[in-house]
Every structure is written in C-alpha cells, then in structure tokens.
C-alpha cells in the first residue's frame, strides 16, 4: 500500500505532517464548529473523494494525508475495516513518517489548549480527561513532564485522553519518560490508533453494518 500511495501523496515529514494540500475544506468545517452526522457504510462508499477526506481528515490529528490514502480502499465493509485500513497505512510509513504523525498532536493542556487553538476533537478529548480542571500544581508538573518528554524523544507525549483521566495521564507520562525512543514510537502510535477508533465511532454508525473485514 505504502509504495503505491507515495507515488502521488507526500510522506508525513518529521517537522510538518499537516499536509496542507487538502485541508481547505476541513478548515471550513471546523471554523463552522459543526460535525457531520454519523454515516452508514453505504453512505461512506458513496462519498466523493473530497467529501471523504473532509469528513475523515482529522481522524488522525492534523493529518488528512491518511484519509486521502485510505479513500482508495473503498468499498469498506465496516467501521472495523476502515480502522484497519488506517492502521495499515500508518504501520507502513517509515519511522520518519510515524514520528511526524506523533508531532501533529498538541501537548496535553499545552499552549494550543490555553490559546483555544485545539481542534474540536482534541478539545473534547482533553476536556473528558479533566485536563481543563488542572490545579496550578498539576499544570506545572504536566508542563515540566511534557517538556522533558519532547526534549528526550523529539515528539510530544500522546495518549488516548478519552480512555484516561488526568491522574493516570500524569502517572503515565512519568513512567514513559523512562522508555527508549523505539518503545515510545511504538507506544505513541498505539495510542494514535486508539484515538482514531474513538473518533471513527463518532463519525460512523454501526447500524446494519456488514461484519466482513
């Protein structure tokens, strides 16, 4: 898949994974503060490529490249199938591309959150983890740990916030600081896949879904 797709799509770069070449429609949707209604599989398969990328472009944070890649995998048969195609594309990226995907994520409770610059998905996810209710001490500790993590690994700490609360996030960040770069690349991508699955569940209804994968 990777070789076939990279002939026409840019590989996420370690310094810039945002893939601005297909973000215009997504920016309009986010600016309007609207989210599409959940779609059934036949509706997804009937979308134009542009519509598909607009709707699924932020399943992987700030990386519509992934949606542009998996659009060619249609027809899809289920939410599970769509998620598997996304994960397969990510796994086939070189190390630099996977690091770039991690770099596309904001620091937890970081500058983007403070300045109201998070995507709607990230805003809701961080809110659900209680990161908007940090004490001054917790915020200071998280900032210090985030900085140490980025300096050590070269990409931000990524965790599925909807599956964790602030205490677990702080503890997990402290533990993961002791890992190797290879371990954290694998772990970070695992968390990206969890985030993607939950985001897909907001976009795709499983009513009357075919169970084929």
């Amino acid at each position: 898949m990777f070789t076939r797709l990279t002939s026409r799509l840019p590989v996420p770069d370690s310094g810039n994974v945002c893939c601005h070449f297909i973000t215009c429609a997504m920016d309009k949707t986010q600016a309007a503060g609207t989210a599409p209604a959940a779609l059934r599989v036949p509706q997804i398969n009937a979308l134009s490529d542009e519509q598909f990328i607009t709707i699924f472009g932020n399943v992987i944070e700030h990386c519509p490249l992934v949606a542009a890649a998996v659009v060619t995998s249609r027809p899809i048969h289920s939410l599970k199938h769509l998620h598997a195609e996304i994960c397969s594309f990510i796994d086939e990226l070189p190390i630099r591309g996977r690091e770039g995907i991690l770099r596309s994520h904001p620091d937890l409770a970081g500058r983007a959150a403070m300045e109201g610059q998070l995507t709607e998905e990230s805003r809701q996810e961080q809110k659900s983890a209680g990161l908007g209710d940090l004490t001054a001490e917790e915020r200071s500790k998280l900032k210090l740990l985030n900085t140490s993590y980025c300096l050590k690994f070269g990409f931000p700490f990524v965790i599925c916030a909807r599956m964790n609360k602030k205490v677990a996030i702080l503890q997990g960040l402290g533990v993961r600081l002791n890992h190797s770069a290879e371990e954290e690349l694998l772990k970070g991508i695992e968390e990206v896949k969890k985030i993607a699955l939950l985001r897909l569940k907001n976009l795709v209804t499983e009513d009357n879904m075919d169970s084929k994968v």
Side-chain angles (χ1 to χ4, degrees):
M1 174 190 276
F2 175 71
T3 302
R4 173 168 57 87
L5 287 168
T6 50
S7 63
R8 62 185 180 86
L9 292 174
V11 177
D13 182 78
S14 60
N16 182 9
V17 74
C18 295
C19 313
H20 296 291
F21 69 109
I22 50 177
T23 58
C24 292
M26 288 178 59
D27 289 343
K28 290 177 183 177
T29 299
Q30 289 192 353
T34 59
L39 299 173
R40 291 184 171 85
V41 168
Q43 293 173 306
I44 295 170
N45 290 329
L47 295 171
S48 69
D49 289 0
E50 182 180 0
Q51 289 171 327
F52 183 94
I53 294 166
T54 299
I55 292 170
F56 296 101
N58 206 50
V59 168
I60 302 300
E61 182 78 3
H62 286 306
C63 198
L65 163 65
V66 179
V70 302
V71 72
T72 60
S73 300
R74 294 184 295 171
I76 62 164
H77 308 300
S78 64
L79 184 154
K80 183 179 179 181
H81 178 203
L82 179 54
H83 184 248
E85 291 291 338
I86 290 170
C87 293
S88 177
F89 177 75
I90 293 172
D91 288 340
E92 292 180 19
L93 289 172
I95 289 175
R96 188 180 182 190
R98 281 175 279 140
E99 289 176 342
I101 282 178
L102 295 180
R103 283 195 187 91
S104 72
H105 286 72
D107 286 340
L108 296 174
R111 177 180 295 179
M114 297 294 289
E115 296 178 354
Q117 297 299 313
L118 294 176
T119 63
E120 181 60 19
E121 294 92 339
S122 286
R123 188 187 71 79
Q124 292 287 351
E125 288 158 0
Q126 294 199 24
K127 180 180 178 181
S128 73
L131 295 178
D133 302 316
L134 295 171
T135 65
E137 182 181 357
E138 289 170 336
R139 189 172 299 279
S140 177
K141 181 179 179 180
L142 184 56
K143 182 178 180 180
L144 178 62
L145 289 171
N146 272 330
T147 299
S148 298
Y149 185 97
C150 286
L151 286 173
K152 179 175 181 178
F153 299 115
F155 46 77
F157 174 74
V158 177
I159 191 169
C160 184
R162 283 171 63 182
M163 298 177 69
N164 292 275
K165 295 299 182 184
K166 63 181 182 179
V167 172
I169 289 170
L170 283 164
Q171 291 174 343
L173 182 45
V175 170
R176 285 172 54 182
L177 262 171
N178 296 313
H179 290 174
S180 68
E182 292 78 9
E183 289 174 317
E184 274 309 291
L185 178 58
L186 288 172
K187 180 62 176 176
I189 291 298
E190 286 179 9
E191 295 298 312
V192 167
K193 292 175 181 178
K194 293 176 187 177
I195 294 167
L197 180 58
L198 293 177
R199 290 185 179 186
L200 282 174
K201 287 182 176 181
N202 287 341
L203 297 171
V204 181
T205 178
E206 297 189 274
D207 292 347
N208 302 318
M209 274 195 172
D210 191 327
S211 61
K212 293 187 294 182
V213 178

